[in-house]
Amino acid sequence: MPTPHNNAEKGDIAETVIMPGDPLRAKFIAENYLDNPVCYNQVRGMYGYTGTYKGKRISVQGSGMGMPSMAIYSWELFNIYGVRNIIRTGTAGAIADNVNLRDIIIAMSASTNSAYASQYNLNGTYAPTASWCLVSEAVKATEKNGCKYHVGNILSSDTFYDDSESLSSWQKMGVLGIEMETASLYMNASRSGKNALTILTVSDCPLKNLSTSAEERQNSFRDMMEISLETALNI
Ligand code: HPA
C-alpha cells in the first residue's frame, strides 16, 4: 500500500526507523552498518532501507529538509506503516555558549517558530517533547561512546537564512542549538501515540562564525550514527 511519497508495502519497514535528513546518509548507513539491507523506497530519491543491526530489524530513511518534509514522511511511517519509534539523526548549529563543534545534542524538547501546531486547535502553546524511553537509552549510548553531549531544548526553525537575527534571544532562553525538523516529528509522534527522539551533532556555530570541515562532519556523523543504532538496539 504505497503512498504518494513512499513505495514501501506494509511490513517492509521495521518498528524502529533512523532518519537522517539527507537520503544519501540513509544509503550510507544501510550499506555500512546494516546486514542484508533491502531498499524499499526511491520515490523522489528519499531512500529507505530495512536490514538488521546486531540481529535487530531496523530501517533507515531520509526525511528531507524542514518540518513539512519531516512531517509527511514521519506521519506516514507512524500512521500507515506501523512504525513505533523514529530516531532523527542530524546536524545543528550551536546556540548556547557552552555547546561546541562536534558536541552531541540530545533534544529533550523542541521550541519552534513554525505554525505546525496550529492544526491541533490548542488554546495555548504546545511543547513538543521527546519520548523519555528514547532519551534515557540515548544518554546511556552516548556515555558509552564517550562523546561530549548536552540534553535539553533546541530550536526547530522554518528558516536557514534568517533576516530576524533572533538567535541571541533564543540563547537567553537556554536553547542549545538550531535545526529544522524536530518539532513536527515530536508533534506527529505525540498525536500518533508513538515515540520520537532527535540526536544531533553540532556542525556549525552561527553566533561565532565557526563550522566543521567535511572530514570532521563525516567523523562526528559516524559517532552520532553509532549512538543512534545502539539506542535503537536497546529500545
Ligand atoms: N540553522 C539551521 N539549521 C541548521 C544549522 C543552522 O545554523 N546548522 C545545521 N542545521
Side-chain angles (χ1 to χ4, degrees), residues 88 91-94 157 159-160 167 178-181 201 203-204 206:
R88 160 167 155 71
T91 56
S157 177
T159 48
F160 185 89
L167 288 191
I178 177 171
E179 51 86 87
M180 302 182 72
E181 290 79 20
T201 176
S203 60
D204 57 298

Side-chain angles (χ1 to χ4, degrees), residues 20-176:
D22 180 352
L24 292 178
R25 287 251 153 101
K27 188 168 189 281
F28 176 90
I29 295 160
E31 289 173 351
N32 289 279
Y33 290 99
L34 297 187
D35 293 322
N36 306 313
V38 175
C39 183
Y40 63 74
N41 188 50
Q42 294 194 26
V43 177
R44 290 177 181 251
M46 200 58 75
Y47 296 117
Y49 293 81
T50 299
T52 56
Y53 176 72
K54 298 186 179 172
K56 180 165 178 171
R57 193 163 179 259
I58 286 173
S59 295
V60 51
Q61 182 185 314
S63 70
M65 286 186 284
M67 283 174 274
S69 184
M70 166 56 93
I72 290 169
Y73 291 108
S74 61
W75 194 96
E76 292 178 353
L77 290 174
F78 285 139
N79 294 293
I80 295 179
Y81 291 104
V83 167
R84 295 180 54 77
N85 311 298
I86 292 180
I87 301 171
R88 160 167 155 71
T89 60
T91 56
I95 297 183
D97 213 29
N98 64 333
V99 174
N100 296 307
L101 294 177
R102 298 181 302 279
D103 287 359
I104 294 277
I105 298 175
I106 296 171
M108 192 154 66
S109 52
S111 300
T112 188
N113 54 21
S114 137
Y116 195 77
S118 64
Q119 66 182 303
Y120 304 119
N121 295 314
L122 301 165
N123 183 22
T125 306
Y126 183 74
T129 308
S131 305
W132 171 249
C133 54
L134 299 185
V135 174
S136 67
E137 286 304 331
V139 168
K140 283 186 220 161
T142 312
E143 297 240 333
K144 209 165 161 192
N145 174 286
C147 282
K148 188 176 162 215
Y149 72 99
H150 311 261
V151 183
N153 192 8
I154 60 164
L155 171 64
S156 296
S157 177
D158 269 343
T159 48
F160 185 89
Y161 301 105
D162 186 47
D163 248 22
S164 70
E165 298 185 356
S166 65
L167 288 191
S168 57
S169 302
W170 291 103
Q171 187 187 54
K172 286 182 202 159
M173 294 305 292
V175 169
L176 298 175

